[in-house]
């Protein structure tokens, strides 16, 4: 999750190799009976399917990147559907705050380029000129999914 957060915050993308590694380790943990959150195969597969499927709809209408979708599916393998729902809510609130701050900073008169660079860097913007058809990724949603999952691991599982 740390690598996903760093990649997504810095480059606004999540590499396929990282998502596949996370999914493979989740499947191995399930197969070996070493799943750290005590969920079963059916719960893990349901979480993966719902995580991937729900965000796939957002990707289809252009509201989300493909890496976010794939990461949500891999995350569902780890935590299952029951935990995935509150994680989504927290991640969506964080992403909403990010978006609101980005919109406010567009009108900020003090160092607007610096503030927008910190909040709105996209992989295309950091690698040079963006192609005319490239959609700018402003919100690192997979990073916020990672942060929300870390919070769930610390506070959400108690009780």
């Amino acid at each position: 999750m740390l690598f996903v957060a760093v990649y997504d915050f810095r480059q606004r993308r999540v590499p396929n190799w990282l998502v596949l590694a996370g999914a493979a380790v989740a499947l191995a943990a399930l197969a070996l009976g070493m799943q750290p959150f005590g969920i079963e195969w059916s719960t893990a597969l349901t979480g993966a399917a719902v995580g991937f499927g729900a965000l796939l709809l957002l990707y289809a209408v252009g509201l989300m990147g493909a890496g976010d979708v794939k990461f949500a599916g891999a995350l569902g393998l780890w935590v299952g559907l029951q935990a995935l729902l509150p994680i989504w809510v927290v991640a969506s609130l964080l992403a909403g705050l990010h978006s609101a701050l980005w919109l406010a900073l567009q009108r900020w008169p003090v160092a607007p380029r610096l503030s927008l660079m910190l909040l709105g860097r996209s992989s295309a913007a950091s690698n040079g000129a963006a192609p005319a058809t490239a959609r700018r990724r402003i919100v690192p949603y997979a990073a916020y999914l990672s942060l929300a999952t870390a919070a769930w691991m610390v506070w959400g599982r108690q009780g």
Side-chain angles (χ1 to χ4, degrees):
M1 288 187 328
L2 176 63
F3 290 130
V4 168
V6 169
Y7 262 98
D8 205 21
F9 273 128
R10 293 191 71 202
Q11 298 181 9
R12 297 302 191 265
R13 62 181 294 276
V14 180
N16 286 335
W17 66 265
L18 193 52
V19 174
L20 289 174
V25 173
L27 291 171
L30 281 163
L32 297 172
M34 299 172 61
Q35 212 288 338
F37 306 118
I39 64 172
E40 310 248 341
W41 276 98
S42 60
T43 305
L45 294 176
T46 302
V50 170
F52 185 84
L55 294 189
L56 185 61
L57 295 174
L58 296 173
Y59 171 75
V61 296
L63 297 175
M64 185 140 317
D68 301 326
V69 176
K70 293 177 272 189
F71 179 65
L75 184 60
L77 279 175
W78 279 106
V79 301
L81 181 59
Q82 187 174 359
L84 194 58
L85 295 177
I87 289 169
W88 265 345
V89 169
V90 172
S92 296
L93 290 172
L94 291 171
L97 285 172
H98 182 109
S99 295
L101 187 57
W102 185 82
L103 288 171
L105 288 176
Q106 281 186 310
R107 295 171 182 83
W108 194 40
V110 180
R113 294 183 69 128
L114 174 64
S115 59
L116 289 175
M117 182 184 73
L118 294 173
L119 280 177
R121 178 190 294 161
S122 68
S123 60
S126 63
N127 293 337
T133 59
R135 183 176 174 97
R136 188 160 183 221
R137 301 284 177 216
I138 295 167
V139 178
Y141 193 70
Y144 289 127
L145 281 172
S146 294
L147 292 175
T149 303
W152 170 80
M153 289 170 63
V154 172
W155 294 293
R157 296 178 50 222
Q158 298 173 2

